[in-house]
Amino acid sequence: MYSIQIQNLNHSYDSIEVFNNNFLNLEIPKNQANKLYGIIGPSGTGKTTLLSILGGQLNPKTGTVLIDKVNIYKVGDKTRRDIISVQMQTATALRGTLRENLVFGIISDEKLCSDKNLIDILKKVGLWSLFEPKDGLNTLIGEGGVNLSGGQRQRLNFAGLYLRAKHYKPSLILIDEPTSSLDEISELAITQMIDELSQKSVTFVVAHRLKTLDQAVGILDTSLISTYPELKFYTKDDLMTVSQYYRDLQAGKAQLEE
Ligand SMILES: Nc1ncnc2c1ncn2[C@@H]1O[C@H](COP(=O)(O)OP(=O)(O)OP(=O)(O)O)[C@@H](O)[C@H]1O
Ligand SMILES: [Mg+2]
Protein backbone atom coordinates (compact mmCIF):
# COMPACT_ATOMS: atom_id res chain seq x y z
CA MET A 1 0.00 0.00 0.00
CA TYR A 2 1.06 3.54 -0.74
CA SER A 3 -0.16 5.86 1.99
CA ILE A 4 -0.79 9.56 2.46
CA GLN A 5 -1.52 10.58 6.01
CA ILE A 6 -2.08 13.77 7.91
CA GLN A 7 -2.48 13.45 11.65
CA ASN A 8 -3.83 15.98 14.10
CA LEU A 9 -4.09 18.90 11.67
CA ASN A 10 -4.74 22.40 12.98
CA HIS A 11 -4.14 25.49 10.96
CA SER A 12 -5.34 29.06 11.02
CA TYR A 13 -4.25 32.30 9.41
CA ASP A 14 -4.41 35.04 12.03
CA SER A 15 -8.02 34.72 13.14
CA ILE A 16 -9.23 32.53 10.27
CA GLU A 17 -9.40 28.89 11.27
CA VAL A 18 -9.09 26.55 8.31
CA PHE A 19 -8.38 23.18 9.93
CA ASN A 20 -9.43 22.08 13.39
CA ASN A 21 -8.33 18.61 14.42
CA ASN A 22 -8.66 17.18 10.95
CA PHE A 23 -6.96 14.07 9.66
CA LEU A 24 -6.44 12.28 6.40
CA ASN A 25 -5.65 8.66 5.82
CA LEU A 26 -5.53 7.54 2.22
CA GLU A 27 -4.25 4.12 1.25
CA ILE A 28 -3.72 3.22 -2.37
CA PRO A 29 -2.78 -0.27 -3.55
CA LYS A 30 0.60 -0.13 -5.27
CA ASN A 31 -0.83 -1.79 -8.37
CA GLN A 32 -3.85 0.52 -8.71
CA ALA A 33 -3.69 1.73 -12.31
CA ASN A 34 -5.57 4.99 -12.05
CA LYS A 35 -4.48 7.22 -9.18
CA LEU A 36 -6.43 10.41 -9.85
CA TYR A 37 -8.03 12.05 -6.80
CA GLY A 38 -10.08 15.23 -6.89
CA ILE A 39 -10.51 18.02 -4.37
CA ILE A 40 -13.56 20.25 -4.60
CA GLY A 41 -15.30 22.68 -2.27
CA PRO A 42 -16.60 26.23 -2.07
CA SER A 43 -14.16 29.12 -2.25
CA GLY A 44 -12.26 29.75 0.95
CA THR A 45 -12.77 26.29 2.47
CA GLY A 46 -9.10 25.30 2.50
CA LYS A 47 -8.34 23.52 -0.79
CA THR A 48 -5.21 25.53 -1.54
CA THR A 49 -4.17 25.45 2.10
CA LEU A 50 -4.46 21.66 2.15
CA LEU A 51 -2.41 21.30 -1.01
CA SER A 52 0.30 23.63 0.34
CA ILE A 53 0.44 21.59 3.55
CA LEU A 54 0.71 18.32 1.60
CA GLY A 55 3.33 19.80 -0.70
CA GLY A 56 5.62 20.81 2.12
CA GLN A 57 5.20 24.53 1.49
CA LEU A 58 3.11 25.46 4.48
CA ASN A 59 4.05 23.91 7.78
CA PRO A 60 0.73 23.75 9.67
CA LYS A 61 0.38 24.96 13.27
CA THR A 62 0.10 21.32 14.31
CA GLY A 63 0.03 18.18 12.25
CA THR A 64 2.23 15.47 10.86
CA VAL A 65 2.29 14.93 7.11
CA LEU A 66 3.45 11.50 6.02
CA ILE A 67 3.83 10.74 2.34
CA ASP A 68 4.43 7.02 2.16
CA LYS A 69 5.66 7.19 5.77
CA VAL A 70 8.11 10.02 5.03
CA ASN A 71 7.57 13.09 7.20
CA ILE A 72 7.91 15.72 4.50
CA TYR A 73 8.71 18.51 6.94
CA LYS A 74 11.71 16.54 8.17
CA VAL A 75 13.43 16.07 4.82
CA GLY A 76 15.37 18.52 2.64
CA ASP A 77 14.08 20.29 -0.45
CA LYS A 78 15.82 17.88 -2.76
CA THR A 79 14.26 14.77 -1.24
CA ARG A 80 10.89 16.49 -1.23
CA ARG A 81 11.24 17.36 -4.91
CA ASP A 82 11.94 13.73 -5.69
CA ILE A 83 8.73 12.75 -3.92
CA ILE A 84 6.32 15.57 -4.82
CA SER A 85 5.71 17.81 -7.85
CA VAL A 86 3.46 20.80 -7.28
CA GLN A 87 1.63 23.32 -9.41
CA MET A 88 0.02 25.99 -7.32
CA GLN A 89 -2.93 28.26 -8.06
CA THR A 90 -0.96 31.49 -8.16
CA ALA A 91 1.59 31.18 -10.89
CA THR A 92 5.14 32.17 -10.12
CA ALA A 93 6.44 35.22 -11.93
CA LEU A 94 7.64 34.40 -15.41
CA ARG A 95 10.71 35.87 -17.01
CA GLY A 96 13.50 34.89 -19.36
CA THR A 97 12.91 32.79 -22.43
CA LEU A 98 10.14 30.33 -23.01
CA ARG A 99 12.67 27.50 -22.92
CA GLU A 100 14.21 28.64 -19.64
CA ASN A 101 10.79 28.69 -18.04
CA LEU A 102 10.04 25.18 -19.18
CA VAL A 103 13.30 23.46 -18.33
CA PHE A 104 14.07 25.20 -15.05
CA GLY A 105 15.81 22.69 -12.82
CA ILE A 106 15.73 19.82 -15.32
CA ILE A 107 17.94 21.17 -18.10
CA SER A 108 20.36 18.25 -17.74
CA ASP A 109 17.64 15.92 -18.99
CA GLU A 110 18.54 16.35 -22.64
CA LYS A 111 16.01 13.95 -24.10
CA LEU A 112 13.10 15.41 -22.16
CA CYS A 113 14.25 18.98 -22.85
CA SER A 114 14.97 18.55 -26.55
CA ASP A 115 13.45 21.24 -28.77
CA LYS A 116 11.24 18.66 -30.39
CA ASN A 117 9.82 17.43 -27.11
CA LEU A 118 9.27 20.93 -25.76
CA ILE A 119 7.47 21.95 -28.93
CA ASP A 120 5.32 18.81 -28.80
CA ILE A 121 4.22 19.64 -25.28
CA LEU A 122 3.56 23.28 -26.14
CA LYS A 123 1.41 22.09 -29.03
CA LYS A 124 -0.52 19.81 -26.71
CA VAL A 125 -1.34 22.63 -24.30
CA GLY A 126 -2.18 24.93 -27.22
CA LEU A 127 0.63 27.46 -26.81
CA TRP A 128 2.92 26.76 -29.74
CA SER A 129 0.90 28.81 -32.22
CA LEU A 130 1.45 31.81 -29.95
CA PHE A 131 5.24 31.43 -29.77
CA GLU A 132 6.11 29.95 -33.16
CA PRO A 133 5.67 33.22 -35.09
CA LYS A 134 7.76 35.03 -32.49
CA ASP A 135 11.14 33.63 -31.46
CA GLY A 136 9.96 30.09 -30.85
CA LEU A 137 11.55 28.61 -27.75
CA ASN A 138 13.76 31.69 -27.44
CA THR A 139 10.82 34.07 -27.11
CA LEU A 140 11.26 36.34 -24.12
CA ILE A 141 8.34 36.35 -21.74
CA GLY A 142 7.30 38.49 -18.82
CA GLU A 143 8.66 41.97 -18.39
CA GLY A 144 10.18 43.23 -21.63
CA GLY A 145 8.82 40.27 -23.57
CA VAL A 146 5.50 38.69 -24.42
CA ASN A 147 2.91 39.23 -21.73
CA LEU A 148 0.78 36.17 -21.16
CA SER A 149 -2.86 36.06 -20.18
CA GLY A 150 -3.91 34.23 -17.02
CA GLY A 151 -4.97 31.16 -18.96
CA GLN A 152 -1.79 31.14 -21.07
CA ARG A 153 0.32 31.41 -17.95
CA GLN A 154 -1.57 28.51 -16.42
CA ARG A 155 -1.00 26.39 -19.48
CA LEU A 156 2.70 27.23 -19.45
CA ASN A 157 2.91 26.38 -15.77
CA PHE A 158 1.13 23.15 -16.42
CA ALA A 159 3.57 22.29 -19.23
CA GLY A 160 6.39 22.89 -16.70
CA LEU A 161 4.74 20.65 -14.14
CA TYR A 162 4.24 17.95 -16.78
CA LEU A 163 7.95 18.06 -17.67
CA ARG A 164 9.05 17.98 -14.02
CA ALA A 165 6.74 15.05 -13.36
CA LYS A 166 8.22 13.19 -16.33
CA HIS A 167 11.73 13.90 -15.03
CA TYR A 168 11.34 13.28 -11.30
CA LYS A 169 8.64 10.60 -11.53
CA PRO A 170 7.36 11.77 -8.16
CA SER A 171 5.10 9.54 -6.14
CA LEU A 172 2.71 12.46 -5.57
CA ILE A 173 1.59 15.24 -7.89
CA LEU A 174 -0.41 18.18 -6.54
CA ILE A 175 -2.24 20.47 -8.93
CA ASP A 176 -4.29 23.47 -7.90
CA GLU A 177 -6.92 24.44 -10.42
CA PRO A 178 -5.21 23.94 -13.73
CA THR A 179 -8.26 24.58 -15.86
CA SER A 180 -9.74 27.80 -14.54
CA SER A 181 -9.80 30.41 -17.31
CA LEU A 182 -9.07 27.82 -19.95
CA ASP A 183 -11.07 27.32 -23.10
CA GLU A 184 -12.71 23.97 -23.84
CA ILE A 185 -9.96 22.71 -26.13
CA SER A 186 -7.04 23.35 -23.81
CA GLU A 187 -9.12 22.08 -20.93
CA LEU A 188 -9.61 18.76 -22.66
CA ALA A 189 -5.94 18.48 -23.59
CA ILE A 190 -4.82 19.26 -20.06
CA THR A 191 -7.35 16.88 -18.56
CA GLN A 192 -5.92 14.14 -20.77
CA MET A 193 -2.37 14.99 -19.71
CA ILE A 194 -3.43 14.86 -16.06
CA ASP A 195 -5.04 11.48 -16.68
CA GLU A 196 -1.75 10.32 -18.21
CA LEU A 197 0.30 11.54 -15.22
CA SER A 198 -2.10 9.89 -12.80
CA GLN A 199 -1.34 6.49 -14.32
CA LYS A 200 2.18 6.83 -12.90
CA SER A 201 1.86 9.05 -9.82
CA VAL A 202 -0.83 9.59 -7.24
CA THR A 203 -2.32 12.89 -8.44
CA PHE A 204 -4.44 15.29 -6.40
CA VAL A 205 -6.22 17.90 -8.45
CA VAL A 206 -8.20 20.83 -7.12
CA ALA A 207 -10.78 21.02 -9.87
CA HIS A 208 -12.97 23.78 -11.18
CA ARG A 209 -15.13 21.60 -13.30
CA LEU A 210 -16.43 18.14 -12.62
CA LYS A 211 -15.37 17.21 -16.14
CA THR A 212 -11.75 17.35 -15.01
CA LEU A 213 -12.63 14.64 -12.50
CA ASP A 214 -14.32 12.20 -14.89
CA GLN A 215 -11.59 9.66 -14.17
CA ALA A 216 -11.18 10.42 -10.47
CA VAL A 217 -11.35 7.41 -8.16
CA GLY A 218 -12.09 9.55 -5.12
CA ILE A 219 -13.15 13.09 -4.33
CA LEU A 220 -12.47 15.11 -1.20
CA ASP A 221 -15.05 17.81 -0.61
CA THR A 222 -13.91 20.58 1.72
CA SER A 223 -17.51 21.69 2.29
CA LEU A 224 -17.73 18.67 4.60
CA ILE A 225 -14.83 19.38 6.93
CA SER A 226 -16.80 21.42 9.42
CA THR A 227 -19.11 18.41 9.88
CA TYR A 228 -16.70 15.50 9.51
CA PRO A 229 -13.15 15.94 10.80
CA GLU A 230 -11.83 13.28 8.43
CA LEU A 231 -10.45 14.59 5.15
CA LYS A 232 -11.92 11.74 3.18
CA PHE A 233 -11.85 10.83 -0.48
CA TYR A 234 -15.30 9.50 -1.28
CA THR A 235 -16.40 7.58 -4.33
CA LYS A 236 -18.73 9.66 -6.47
CA ASP A 237 -21.70 7.55 -5.38
CA ASP A 238 -20.94 8.03 -1.70
CA LEU A 239 -20.32 11.72 -2.19
CA MET A 240 -23.78 12.03 -3.73
CA THR A 241 -25.16 10.68 -0.45
CA VAL A 242 -23.12 12.77 1.97
CA SER A 243 -22.62 16.11 0.24
CA GLN A 244 -25.25 18.69 -0.54
CA TYR A 245 -22.58 20.76 -2.27
CA TYR A 246 -21.72 17.91 -4.63
CA ARG A 247 -25.40 17.24 -5.34
CA ASP A 248 -25.82 20.92 -6.19
CA LEU A 249 -22.80 20.78 -8.47
CA GLN A 250 -24.16 17.75 -10.27
CA ALA A 251 -27.48 19.49 -10.69
CA GLY A 252 -25.72 22.59 -12.00
CA LYS A 253 -26.92 24.60 -9.02
CA ALA A 254 -23.54 25.35 -7.49
CA GLN A 255 -20.41 26.68 -9.11
CA LEU A 256 -16.94 25.36 -8.41
CA GLU A 257 -15.77 28.93 -8.70
CA GLU A 258 -17.57 32.16 -8.83
N1 LIG B 1 -1.94 33.70 3.23
C1 LIG B 1 -3.11 33.85 3.85
N2 LIG B 1 -3.28 34.77 4.83
C2 LIG B 1 -4.44 34.92 5.48
N3 LIG B 1 -5.54 34.20 5.21
C3 LIG B 1 -5.46 33.28 4.24
C4 LIG B 1 -4.23 33.04 3.51
N4 LIG B 1 -4.45 32.05 2.62
C5 LIG B 1 -5.73 31.68 2.78
N5 LIG B 1 -6.35 32.40 3.75
C6 LIG B 1 -7.74 32.22 4.21
O1 LIG B 1 -7.90 30.86 4.58
C7 LIG B 1 -9.13 30.33 4.09
C8 LIG B 1 -8.86 29.15 3.17
O2 LIG B 1 -8.21 29.62 2.00
P1 LIG B 1 -7.80 28.69 0.78
O3 LIG B 1 -7.00 29.53 -0.12
O4 LIG B 1 -7.17 27.46 1.29
O5 LIG B 1 -9.24 28.36 0.17
P2 LIG B 1 -9.61 27.65 -1.22
O6 LIG B 1 -10.57 26.56 -0.88
O7 LIG B 1 -8.39 27.27 -1.96
O8 LIG B 1 -10.40 28.81 -1.99
P3 LIG B 1 -10.51 29.11 -3.59
O9 LIG B 1 -11.52 28.14 -4.13
O10 LIG B 1 -11.04 30.50 -3.62
O11 LIG B 1 -9.17 28.98 -4.19
C9 LIG B 1 -9.83 31.52 3.44
O12 LIG B 1 -10.73 32.05 4.36
C10 LIG B 1 -8.73 32.48 3.11
O13 LIG B 1 -9.20 33.80 3.14
MG1 LIG C 1 -7.58 27.89 -3.76
Side-chain angles (χ1 to χ4, degrees):
M1 284 284 182
Y2 175 79
S3 66
I4 296 174
Q5 291 165 302
I6 305 181
Q7 296 155 349
N8 184 31
L9 176 63
N10 286 281
H11 191 74
S12 46
Y13 299 99
D14 307 319
S15 59
I16 301 166
E17 183 179 83
V18 186
F19 295 110
N20 177 11
N21 284 319
N22 297 102
F23 62 97
L24 182 155
N25 200 345
L26 178 65
E27 298 223 310
I28 302 163
K30 285 250 151 91
N31 62 357
Q32 182 175 308
N34 171 10
K35 297 177 272 285
L36 180 64
Y37 291 85
I39 299 174
I40 61 170
S43 185
T45 50
K47 302 180 298 296
T48 297
T49 304
L50 177 62
L51 234 54
S52 310
I53 289 170
L54 281 167
Q57 292 148 318
L58 177 69
N59 200 345
K61 296 255 155 78
T62 77
T64 310
V65 181
L66 300 170
I67 308 292
D68 215 21
K69 315 249 165 42
V70 176
N71 183 331
I72 52 148
Y73 287 93
K74 294 248 160 91
V75 296
D77 289 351
K78 191 184 169 302
T79 307
R80 201 158 52 226
R81 242 192 338 262
D82 286 338
I83 303 175
I84 311 169
S85 291
V86 188
Q87 180 190 358
M88 291 314 283
Q89 189 169 22
T90 22
T92 40
L94 300 168
R95 66 176 110 121
T97 66
L98 174 59
R99 184 192 277 103
E100 284 162 357
N101 278 278
L102 284 170
V103 305
F104 184 76
I106 54 168
I107 187 92
S108 58
D109 195 330
E110 285 174 28
K111 192 154 165 254
L112 192 66
C113 298
S114 70
D115 286 8
K116 185 186 172 304
N117 198 43
L118 297 182
I119 292 169
D120 277 353
I121 289 165
L122 288 166
K123 280 184 184 160
K124 271 197 205 167
V125 299
L127 283 177
W128 184 238
S129 58
L130 172 73
F131 292 108
E132 190 182 20
K134 306 220 159 77
D135 262 334
L137 292 169
N138 298 318
T139 308
L140 281 171
I141 46 186
E143 234 172 283
V146 178
N147 278 309
L148 301 178
S149 72
Q152 288 164 342
R153 217 168 325 146
Q154 263 188 339
R155 282 185 269 163
L156 184 56
N157 272 310
F158 179 76
L161 169 93
Y162 182 84
L163 283 162
R164 288 199 306 285
K166 289 279 180 187
H167 176 77
Y168 288 108
K169 302 184 177 60
S171 52
L172 180 63
I173 297 174
L174 304 171
I175 302 175
D176 200 356
E177 307 187 298
T179 58
S180 63
S181 68
L182 290 184
D183 54 76
E184 292 268 317
I185 293 167
S186 1
E187 188 198 345
L188 180 67
I190 287 179
T191 302
Q192 283 168 354
M193 288 164 88
I194 291 174
D195 290 346
E196 180 196 332
L197 294 177
S198 61
Q199 301 294 308
K200 292 261 161 43
S201 311
V202 174
T203 305
F204 286 4
V205 179
V206 173
H208 272 261
R209 298 170 229 205
L210 286 178
K211 245 204 299 180
T212 315
L213 301 180
D214 267 353
Q215 302 296 321
V217 284
I219 298 179
L220 190 162
D221 177 351
T222 50
S223 78
L224 298 171
I225 62 179
S226 47
T227 325
Y228 306 105
E230 179 171 9
L231 298 162
K232 188 169 172 179
F233 288 90
Y234 288 95
T235 63
K236 290 173 185 167
D237 284 349
D238 288 349
L239 198 55
M240 268 314 242
T241 314
V242 295
S243 166
Q244 183 62 47
Y245 176 72
Y246 185 66
R247 284 195 295 274
D248 286 349
L249 276 180
Q250 286 286 3
K253 276 192 263 168
Q255 295 256 303
L256 282 166
E257 175 203 32
E258 26 316 303

